[in-house]
Amino acid sequence: MAEYTHGGDILSAKARYGGEILDFSANLNPLGMPGAVRAAARAAVDGCVHYPDPLCRELTAAIAARDRVEPGQILCGNGAADLIFRLAIALRPARALVTAPTFSEYAQALGAVGTQVFSHRLYAKENFDLTERVLEELTPGLDVFFLCSPNNPTGRRVKAPLMEQILHQCGENRILLVVDECFLSLSDGAGPGLAPRLAENPQLLLLRAFTKSYAIPGLRLGYCLSADGALLERLSLCGQPWSVSGAAQAAGIAAMGCPRWPEEARKLIQTERSWLLEQMSALNLKIWPGEANYLLFQAPGRADLKERLMERGILIRSCANYEGLGPDFYRIAVRPHGENERLISALKEVL
């Protein structure tokens, strides 16, 4: 079995530590799951004696109203990762570009179908920001470009002027631009993202998820947006008929009735992120100024920090498996203040 390399592996952490775990490895909404979402998912269990709606009609209508898009521009799936793999299977692109570091599932999905994957390196000295250098690689013959904004694990967003250039160049060169906006609603200055640009950019596909914004990773619920109906149909055909459970659909519908939940979380995130930056800088850690609900940092020469914190019941995300980073790079979620204080206290003990 392949090694699990993402955050949130609570069962393994509990098995190793032997007690309750304070999880900073999964970058979720620090407010947790809304009560209405929890209640909706529980109530939906009684309906699980029937198959769920394979077309997710009520959920799609709720997403369309919230995101201000057409229902025909939406396809729901079993988390954003499900849709990433469907896209790779549906298109089987010959050549693809991803940034480095970024979410590993893009390259994993593409590699599974034999795609030649090229990496565009992001540099620490530039805050891991995407720059105009990427335009040199968006040339004819490239089939797809995966872009994460805010990027995981750096928390940095693509600047608006550069995004405009990328949109234009991908359109000119017939490159499918896949923009992962799963962390958008929990980032600074969150707005509609690129959803208003779908109609004029048929080569654009957006990935979004309820996982982060509403803290429901265990329910598995994501969706993609595109004005290319034929592409969405191909993605639909590459997935199982009932990929979104009844409980997940009910939770998503309830979440759409809590539009201010991510906004309330952003207030907490901005305050606590600033506090964490200050405290961690004082410990001689190198932290990058992310714009989302997580922080990338380096503990120079300390490749064992995850294990040392685990001994104290705290789980963080090692970033050793991200291309372009090293064994002393880590990511933490921004959590409520009391939890953040426990993290800083533990860091002071082990550093």
Side-chain angles (χ1 to χ4, degrees), residues 123-257:
Y123 295 101
K125 63 184 179 181
E126 297 172 329
N127 285 330
F128 292 107
D129 281 337
L130 191 68
T131 70
E132 291 186 357
R133 287 193 304 273
V134 74
L135 299 175
E136 300 172 6
E137 300 180 55
L138 302 180
T139 57
L142 184 70
D143 298 302
V144 60
F145 177 30
F146 274 86
L147 190 56
C148 189
S149 182
N151 192 24
N152 178 10
T154 67
R156 304 290 292 177
R157 293 176 64 179
V158 180
K159 300 298 185 291
L162 177 57
M163 186 65 85
E164 286 297 324
Q165 292 176 282
I166 292 171
L167 278 169
H168 175 75
Q169 199 152 322
C170 286
E172 286 286 307
N173 294 328
R174 298 181 180 276
I175 300 167
L176 176 64
L177 174 61
V178 181
V179 181
D180 186 337
E181 294 186 332
C182 286
F183 293 101
L184 177 66
S185 65
L186 297 177
S187 67
D188 296 350
L194 293 175
R197 309 297 303 280
L198 289 171
E200 63 194 84
N201 292 280
Q203 85 288 357
L204 174 64
L205 184 139
L206 304 179
L207 292 168
R208 296 183 173 183
F210 292 79
T211 301
K212 316 301 181 183
S213 303
Y214 293 91
I216 55 171
L219 282 172
R220 310 305 308 137
L221 181 59
Y223 61 99
C224 63
L225 303 174
S226 175
D228 187 343
L231 174 60
L232 293 183
E233 180 64 22
R234 291 176 69 181
L235 297 186
S236 179
L237 293 173
C238 288
Q240 57 178 306
W242 302 283
S243 62
V244 183
S245 72
Q249 291 187 43
I253 294 164
M256 293 296 91

Side-chain angles (χ1 to χ4, degrees), residues 266-310:
R266 288 198 301 272
K267 299 174 185 177
L268 172 65
I269 290 164
Q270 290 170 0
T271 300
E272 292 301 317
R273 192 178 59 213
S274 296
W275 186 82
L276 283 168
L277 278 166
E278 179 183 350
Q279 297 293 316
M280 294 174 72
S281 296
L283 296 175
N284 295 318
L285 298 170
K286 171 61 178 175
I287 310 101
W288 279 268
E291 301 169 271
N293 60 313
Y294 47 94
L295 288 169
L296 174 70
F297 72 96
Q298 184 181 19
R302 299 297 298 267
D304 64 344
L305 189 59
K306 177 182 176 181
E307 289 71 25
R308 296 293 301 278
L309 289 174
M310 180 64 68

